[in-house]
Amino acid sequence: MTTADWPLWEVFVRSRRGLSHTHAGSLHAPDAEMALRNARDLYTRRGEGVSIWVVPSAAITASSPDEKDPFFEPAADKPYRHPTFYEIPEGVKHL
Amino acid sequence: MATAAAQHTARTPAHDARGGAPDTDAHQRAFDAAIAADERIEPRDWMPDAYRATLIRQIAQHAHSEIIGMQPEANWITRAPSLRRKAILMAKVQDEAGHGLYLYSAAETLGVSRDELLDKLHSGRQKYSSIFNYPTLTWADVGAIGWLVDGAAITNQVPLCRCSYGPYARAMVRICKEESFHQRQGYELLLALSRGTPEQHAMAQDAVNRWWWPSLMMFGPPDDESEHSAQSMAWKIKRHSNDELRQRFVDICVPQAESLGLTLPDPDLKWNEERGHYDFGPIDWDEFWQVIKGNGPCNEQRMAQRRRAHDEGAWVREAAAAYAAKHTHDKEARRG
Ligand SMILES: [Fe+2]
Ligand SMILES: [Fe+2]
């Protein structure tokens, strides 16, 4: 196995407790354990994280950019899902 | 970095349809509209082949510069004058390795492999910034590099945080955050020397004298001779012209040099009330082109060292692969 075969890993970092993991970047590593160590050195050199996930890039299924419009369309014509859709008389509180 | 995953997992119909005329027109229109609206282009979006090629060339050259740039400074790690300075310098050089990795990842989202890019660097088919072909003769050079070379890099890179290609822009955000420490440690180092003994002061001045002009060349040739500038600006890869950024850098440095108690080696340097900028003397572009062509003081040394480091690191890569294979094997055995 040469470096060319090393899989690509996506790195997710939780910056502090109470926040979710967010995508930080990607890296190559021969296995998950080394991907974690490399991710620590690459993405948390200044205490940017308290927890790291690494996920094989090949395991991610993504929506296609070309399907953008039809794929997300069902949400576009439903403004009544937002609180601002509703008119409430002035002066009504806690609503 | 970023959504390299998407690039690798799913080829979109857009990619397969490249060359199909009606589709390409629609794709081109969508791309142009995204650029005009200042939106970011992401890895799986359709993009013109020339845009992709330009980005690969620029990001690769940038990545190569980060890792070649480790050499001139690493030269002084073992001879740093104190443990404090040594720890700082190691952290800085390590950051530059990280910058290289962020950028190689960004380039990979465009469909090239890291091995391919390293190959091109090692065979001289891709370049790195010519600033790193100058030698670091004294300890003061470490300060001059941090202040001037990292300073020029920051001036160049801050606008790249708004570059139209998402993964490149995001890599630049990380890099710019880290560069600010690089510049400040260099400035502080020079200040210590400048305020030290007469010999130390002279050493600092000498380093600034040698690094000033090459730093101004880092912004690239003048606008009217810059090959790729106009197209890169239209694509919003580049946001300001070479001369504009160079002027910005000069204006920032003059007062900083005064605070250091050092001078900049340019007799023509003076404030121009009318322009609201500092005028500065002519740059020796012959020297610039000579260094790019491979005739700088350290071109050969840098390339030889890079190839040697890669070859001598082969056993580490092999060991990591063997370790991973053994682990996978053990896990499978335990599962029975
Ligand atoms: Fe850097
Ligand atoms: Fe730097």
Side-chain angles (χ1 to χ4, degrees):
Chain A
M1 181 152 96
T2 67
T3 46
D5 311 320
W6 286 8
L8 189 66
W9 303 80
E10 299 300 321
V11 179
F12 298 82
V13 176
R14 183 202 293 284
S15 55
R16 57 186 166 80
R17 297 177 69 85
L19 297 179
S20 52
H21 288 74
T22 42
H23 187 243
S26 57
L27 52 79
H28 288 278
D31 69 1
E33 197 185 325
M34 278 183 269
L36 265 184
R37 283 172 186 278
N38 291 352
R40 177 201 57 191
D41 291 345
L42 193 55
Y43 293 108
T44 62
R45 286 198 301 283
R46 290 174 174 78
E48 292 97 329
V50 294
S51 164
I52 300 176
W53 292 345
V54 290
V55 180
S57 304
I60 293 176
T61 307
S63 62
S64 156
D66 287 344
E67 291 162 4
K68 198 161 94 186
D69 293 338
F71 192 70
F72 295 105
E73 199 192 35
D77 60 352
K78 296 176 183 61
Y80 45 84
R81 284 175 172 170
H82 298 276
T84 46
F85 181 76
Y86 302 93
E87 276 186 42
I88 302 293
E90 219 160 302
V92 178
K93 287 182 179 149
H94 307 299
L95 197 67
Chain B
M1 44 204 290
T3 43
Q7 176 73 17
H8 290 253
T9 48
R11 301 297 281 176
T12 69
H15 284 280
D16 304 330
R18 243 190 293 170
D23 255 12
T24 307
D25 284 352
H27 285 316
Q28 179 76 51
R29 275 196 302 277
F31 174 85
D32 292 344
I35 296 284
D38 238 338
E39 276 177 30
R40 298 290 175 268
I41 306 300
E42 295 295 342
R44 293 174 65 211
D45 293 337
W46 182 93
M47 62 187 89
D49 290 343
Y51 177 82
R52 186 184 299 273
T54 297
L55 279 167
I56 291 174
R57 195 194 60 239
Q58 178 171 338
I59 300 174
Q61 174 164 338
H62 196 159
H64 299 331
S65 303
E66 299 284 354
I67 61 166
I68 295 280
M70 297 164 75
Q71 291 185 33
E73 290 179 285
N75 178 36
W76 282 93
I77 289 177
T78 56
R79 291 170 289 165
S82 69
L83 201 52
R84 176 179 183 269
R85 293 287 176 198
K86 185 173 183 165
I88 290 169
L89 187 52
M90 282 200 292
K92 184 194 189 268
V93 172
Q94 193 188 9
D95 271 357
E96 305 300 4
H99 296 175
L101 290 176
Y102 305 154
L103 289 163
Y104 285 123
S105 291
E108 281 184 295
T109 64
L110 291 159
V112 283
S113 77
R114 187 166 313 182
D115 292 272
E116 199 178 322
L117 297 178
L118 282 177
D119 254 11
K120 284 190 175 158
L121 170 64
H122 295 157
S123 60
R125 280 173 295 159
Q126 280 179 344
K127 303 224 172 292
Y128 55 89
S129 174
S130 60
I131 189 78
F132 300 117
N133 290 317
Y134 290 88
T136 40
L137 302 179
T138 72
W139 170 249
D141 289 36
V142 173
I145 288 181
W147 176 40
L148 295 174
V149 176
D150 288 88
I154 292 171
T155 307
N156 257 330
Q157 289 170 358
V158 166
L160 284 173
C161 297
R162 294 186 299 120
C163 157
S164 60
Y165 188 58
Y168 191 27
R170 290 191 286 276
M172 292 319 305
V173 170
R174 287 194 77 88
I175 290 177
C176 285
K177 269 189 208 155
E178 300 183 353
E179 287 294 349
S180 130
F181 132 63
H182 299 179
Q183 195 187 19
R184 287 176 70 118
Q185 65 83 34
Y187 193 84
E188 190 209 61
L189 192 165
L190 280 180
L191 190 64
L193 290 176
S194 177
R195 290 177 177 172
T197 65
E199 288 81 2
Q200 288 171 333
H201 181 90
M203 189 197 272
Q205 183 62 61
D206 171 65
V208 169
N209 290 350
R210 283 181 290 106
W211 287 93
W212 174 248
W213 290 107
S215 298
L216 293 192
M217 295 175 197
M218 282 175 71
F219 296 94
D223 293 346
D224 45 9
E225 289 167 35
S226 178
E227 241 184 295
H228 308 293
S229 272
Q231 181 60 73
S232 284
M233 302 260 285
W235 277 329
K236 295 185 182 167
I237 294 173
K238 218 176 142 94
R239 298 276 180 167
H240 307 279
S241 79
N242 295 353
D243 287 330
E244 221 177 306
L245 292 168
R246 187 165 16 244
Q247 180 71 60
R248 186 179 297 178
F249 180 66
V250 171
D251 291 347
I252 288 170
C253 285
V254 175
Q256 289 179 346
E258 280 164 16
S259 299
L260 276 176
L262 298 172
T263 59
L264 296 170
D266 180 358
D268 296 327
L269 197 62
K270 62 172 181 300
W271 179 250
N272 182 324
E273 193 64 59
E274 207 174 299
R275 293 200 309 126
H277 291 292
Y278 283 93
D279 289 337
F280 54 97
I283 292 172
D284 182 357
W285 291 111
D286 277 350
E287 176 182 322
F288 174 76
W289 292 114
Q290 279 303 317
V291 179
I292 285 196
K293 276 184 205 135
N295 303 322
C298 299
N299 296 57
E300 272 170 46
Q301 185 187 332
R302 300 292 184 237
M303 285 302 289
Q305 169 66 22
R306 173 90 272 284
R307 288 192 206 103
R308 189 162 58 238
H310 189 72
D311 293 345
E312 289 176 358
W315 72 269
V316 180
R317 297 191 289 277
E318 281 158 21
Y323 178 80
K326 179 174 182 296
H327 254 232
T328 316
H329 184 262
D330 288 354
K331 257 186 225 156
E332 274 159 16
R334 246 177 283 135
R335 236 178 267 139

